[in-house]
Amino acid sequence: MTDVLAVLPEIVVAALAALILGIDATVGEERAARWLPWVAAAGLVGALASGVYYPASGLFFRGFVEVDAFTAFFRFVFIVLALFTVLVAPSYLTRQHVPRAEFYATVLFSTVGAMTVALSTDLITLFVGLELMSIPVYVLAGLQRRDEYSNEAGLKYFLLGAFSSAILVYGFAWLFGIAGSTEYSRIAEAVAQEGLGSPAVIVALSLVTVGLGFKAAVVPFHQWTPDAYDGAPTPSTAFMSVAPKAAAFAAILRLMSTGLGPLHVDWVLVFAILAAVTMTGGNVVALVQTNVKRMLAYSSIAHTGYILAGVAAIASGASAGAAVLFYLFAYGIMNLGAFASLMYFDTGGTTRGATLDELNGLWSRHAVGAVAFTVFLVNLAGIPPTVGFLAKFFLIQPVLDAGFAWLAVAIALNAALAAFYYLRVVVHMFMYDADAKAPRLLPSRLLTASLAVTAVVTIVLGVLPDAIYAFALDAAVPVLVR
Amino acid sequence: MNLPVIDNVLTVLVVIPLVGLIPLLVVIRDARAAKQVALVTTFVELVVSLLMLAQFRVGEAGFQMVESVMWLPSLGIRYEVGIDGISVFLVVLTTLLTFISVLYSSAGVIKHRVGEFMAAFLLLEVGMVGVFLALDLFLFYVFFELMLVPMYLIIGIWGGTRRIYATMKFVLFTLAGSLLMLVAIVAVYLASGEPGQRTLSFQELVSGGVRFDPTFQVLAFLGFALAFAIKLPMVPFHTWLPDAHVEAPTAGSIVLAGILLKAGGYGLIRFALPLFPLGAQAWLPIIVVLSVIAIIYGAAVSTVQKDLKKLVAYSSVAHMGFVTLGIFVLNVQGGVGAVLQMINHGVVTGALFLFVGIQYEKTHRRLIADLGGLANRWPLYTTFFGVFVLASLGLPGLNGFVGEFLVLLGTFASDMRPIGGPVWGAIAAVGVILAAVYLLWMFQRVMYGTAREAYRDLPDLSPVEVAAALPLLVLTVVLGVFPQPFIDVIEPSLARMLDLADAALALYR
């Protein structure tokens, strides 16, 4: 029973997903459409509350699962992201004839998977969690069935995702071969003994890095990202650009710092180089995009690079883990908000996002939407007083502390480069006038309210971040390298 | 007469524009009401800043009216504000120029989206006032960047034809510099002590407990100095300035030249120099050479400008050269001269941009060749404009002279091996002569000669325009004739900054 109570939030979210499918089958989607998002939202809040009411800590299910502050932080992040997704999606789903109940249920199943990743201290739990998170996301990408780009996105994401899972599981097999166990703690003992002199350890480390690099969209394993993000229905893009990435980093943090922690002296340099390549690659390609959705896809690759820099700094202690966690939270809400802002534009039944020119004059057409979008972009650019700025501030600190001064400078220069394309969107919204070709706007009160509230939250947290940063510092303790 | 004493007056100064934003956002669609809210807010801010000035104790070197509250307990970062002789006039200058800009803009110059314009200005004022008050590097950075987005919008929405190019250039230059400063700030934080005792409070950093090793200082100084050199701007980072000024609306130009540039000079005196004296020494030769180049180059380029606004913009480059020269001759005369030069430049160049703007609103011409003969039509305009031009070229008796003279004195008195202060002083003095050349020549071509027919019936200054210009005129004369009271306020604090730098240097002798 204690085992079950320990994972109560996961159980609540899974039950909620099943309930929504049940409502779809009995009441019918059309009749439930109005209140279904609220059922999902209430259930998510309940899941979060259940974790607070039954605080557990320690190993459960015979060591397959560990509940600690790290888990609690990711539960909080994933539930907030799912909540935000469910609240911005309805108007888009309705007008594009995307099956709504399936959408909510799929998002929730994926959320359960992501939460499971954060729980795992065993390769088997980790793999189950990753797949439970990924498979619903492939579905989300292809959910707009009659759109060829959505189909392409789903197929591409599925093929490359399956490919990366295969690489990852092959790496896990090598780890099992070395340690004779799938538990992180046993793996740590074994690799510490073998050291990097053993070819088997090198093979395992490389395969795991590549596999997790695919999931997190690290350059050069990012090729699936632009098409998958661009082609997926916009609410799906908003969700899949944040939650799976956060889950991938939960996996990276826990596995690399505990299971493979004894080798961190060796892998941090590789991660630092990958981080620099990823942020630069994402930003440079984002510079030349004219489709805003695609631009944001490349920008999310750049943010992967920043977060990876925090992982590379893992040796500098709790501040590194806390920086990664805080960044994931900040990135989650600001990036989700930015993609969701594109849902105002009617692009004629396709999944296509608006181009820069189609954004012209949004300010005079829908002021609140334009200002909220601007706030999210300023967040992404890392300009104070926003939570996005603090995320960068918290991040630079461990990176410098770990002795990667060049990486800190690379982050700063990349942020300046990125400001160009984020602010160019603001130019089009505020400084050009709308012309006859501007697409129809499809405002929705729920969308506008959710975006406005979240935009304000990013500024409030940009001034008063201490509660969340202290939470992140606490949550980073389990992933300290030993 | 007893003036009211306001508690926590510095925080009140930061908060007033924010409070003003609330009613402004409510009435944002109503241009008339928005103007009134902005005028009242900036006027109250100006009055409170004057009351703050009255509370200031002259002759005290350290910080006054300090408020310090823990802001981010996990990191030991504080909300810490305070004021001393260096910053006190810059704060009052900020509130004055903001009020004048809002006053002038509300008289019909800004025709579309008035409410949004005023909102951007109030947000800008928060950043500008905060920059001069912040005593914690993190807080300083937040205010420094807070100035960016409103100015970006002001140039980009209400600017001229090439406004988008100009505003993007302005933002990207500034951001590139300030993000490197952010890295340097984080490095300072990490070097300030063991985990748990780290701080970014300026007072704690210079109190003697923290020692930065020489290589660290050279690099950290570079990070800070680049950000400030771009903001100031120093040659060769000045190329954003002419574009931004030419395209900015008049009010934007006034605060850009009057306040935003000063944030760069202020940052050098307040933070870069006392925190990293070894770094300053290492980079000093380059900065002095670049300052002298800026003085001569700025003047030379101003001479050949065809566009009136661009001429004033390039003259700023030359004037800012005096500021950096004065700071880096590292003596009290030069430093006091640099601070006075910042204040004077704020007053005079703010006024010059105001008058170029007024002139443009009437004639819709900015090319010097298209103007001429305005003196006969506009006696009042000519008088005002003439005084500001004379002040800008450094005529004794007006304020422009005082700062430049002190900077030159300081330069002659310093021994900068191997070439020596007098040589640099002599070259810089040539810049003063060149200033007379381009400014008087410009004045002659714009104001005298034969007027075009089209300008015959254009009206002279309106009462609002006189009201906007008059405080600046008074300051120009007062600062020129009685500079001593101002020097008495600035000198002790400036000497303290140099002493702090010396004390830090002594640790390595």
Side-chain angles (χ1 to χ4, degrees), chain A residues 98-426:
Chain A
V98 178
R100 279 159 288 192
E102 273 99 324
F103 177 86
Y104 304 134
T106 318
V107 164
L108 293 173
F109 279 128
S110 181
T111 304
V112 177
M115 290 160 84
T116 310
V117 170
L119 283 171
S120 48
T121 46
D122 188 290
L123 293 179
I124 292 173
T125 329
L126 175 64
F127 192 70
V128 170
L130 278 174
E131 290 305 289
L132 178 55
M133 175 203 75
S134 303
I135 293 167
V137 173
Y138 308 146
V139 177
L140 283 177
L143 206 53
Q144 204 162 326
R145 283 193 299 267
R146 307 205 178 280
D147 183 272
E148 56 187 68
Y149 289 106
S150 182
N151 277 302
E152 182 197 340
L155 190 63
K156 225 173 211 172
Y157 198 2
F158 170 68
L159 285 177
L160 281 162
F163 180 59
S164 68
S165 292
I167 295 177
L168 191 61
V169 85
Y170 188 40
F172 287 177
W174 278 85
L175 282 179
F176 179 71
I178 296 162
S181 166
T182 51
E183 277 173 53
Y184 288 4
S185 53
R186 301 277 293 280
I187 292 171
E189 286 163 22
V191 295
Q193 214 163 34
E194 294 272 329
L196 215 59
S198 148
V201 173
I202 296 179
V203 172
L205 187 60
S206 314
L207 289 170
V208 168
T209 306
V210 172
L212 291 174
F214 262 109
K215 299 275 180 210
V218 173
V219 174
F221 317 115
H222 67 290
Q223 312 289 359
W224 56 272
T225 318
D227 288 334
Y229 286 10
D230 192 15
T234 309
S236 305
T237 312
F239 179 76
M240 67 199 226
S241 71
V242 292
K245 199 181 290 274
F249 275 102
I252 290 174
L253 266 183
R254 185 92 101 175
L255 178 59
M256 299 309 276
S257 68
T258 57
L260 297 169
L263 302 176
H264 77 268
V265 187
D266 304 299
W267 60 253
V268 286
L269 187 62
V270 176
F271 272 50
I273 293 168
L274 283 176
V277 172
T278 305
M279 63 181 86
T280 315
N283 278 329
V284 167
V285 186
L287 279 180
V288 297
Q289 303 302 319
T290 51
N291 182 320
V292 179
K293 199 172 172 186
R294 211 170 168 83
M295 185 204 88
L296 286 173
Y298 281 106
S299 122
S300 71
I301 296 174
H303 283 275
T304 306
Y306 303 139
I307 303 169
L308 203 60
V311 179
I314 196 81
S316 53
S319 68
V324 172
L325 297 180
F326 191 91
Y327 205 110
L328 285 170
F329 167 72
Y331 164 80
I333 52 178
M334 66 200 186
N335 210 54
L336 213 163
F339 273 117
S341 304
L342 291 175
M343 289 188 236
Y344 282 112
F345 298 93
D346 179 14
T347 47
T350 66
T351 58
R352 191 174 65 82
T355 62
L356 281 172
D357 288 333
E358 287 172 341
L359 289 175
N360 286 356
L362 181 63
W363 186 31
S364 41
R365 304 176 68 202
H366 196 294
V368 178
V371 171
F373 196 6
T374 303
V375 170
F376 294 124
L377 291 165
V378 168
N379 263 293
L380 287 167
I383 296 171
T386 59
V387 73
F389 157 68
L390 284 165
K392 287 223 170 63
F393 176 76
F394 293 143
L395 182 73
I396 290 174
Q397 194 197 319
V399 171
L400 272 181
D401 207 12
F404 291 121
W406 60 272
L407 190 54
V409 172
I411 293 172
L413 294 178
N414 263 288
L417 189 68
F420 175 74
Y421 61 80
Y422 293 130
L423 292 178
R424 197 167 50 170
V425 179
V426 181

Side-chain angles (χ1 to χ4, degrees), chain A residues 363-364 384-385 389-390 393-394 397 400-401 408 412 415-416 419-420 423-424 426-427 430-432 463 465-466 469, chain B residues 71-75 77 113 116 138 141 145-146 152 156-157 163-164 168 171-172 175 179 182-183 186-187 189-190:
Chain A
W363 186 31
S364 41
F389 157 68
L390 284 165
F393 176 76
F394 293 143
Q397 194 197 319
L400 272 181
D401 207 12
F420 175 74
L423 292 178
R424 197 167 50 170
V426 181
V427 165
F430 281 75
M431 301 171 194
Y432 289 119
V463 179
D466 210 67
Y469 186 64
Chain B
W71 181 16
L72 306 178
S74 322
L75 291 173
I77 286 172
R113 294 176 170 167
E116 288 89 339
F138 183 79
Y141 184 82
E145 292 285 72
L146 199 58
Y152 162 73
I157 298 175
R163 61 184 188 275
I164 288 161
M168 283 304 256
V171 168
L172 293 179
L175 254 186
L179 282 162
L182 181 64
V183 175
V186 175
Y189 175 76
L190 292 172

Side-chain angles (χ1 to χ4, degrees), chain A residues 8-20 47 105 108-109 112 115 132:
Chain A
L8 197 56
E10 285 76 15
I11 292 173
V12 172
V13 178
L16 182 65
L19 174 71
I20 286 174
L108 293 173
F109 279 128
V112 177
M115 290 160 84
L132 178 55

Side-chain angles (χ1 to χ4, degrees), chain B residues 297-325:
Chain B
Y297 168 82
V301 177
S302 296
T303 316
V304 297
Q305 290 309 312
K306 297 188 175 75
D307 182 315
L308 192 51
K309 217 171 174 187
K310 225 170 187 166
L311 185 145
V312 181
Y314 272 111
S315 80
S316 289
V317 175
H319 284 130
M320 287 295 112
F322 279 101
V323 173
T324 45
L325 183 63

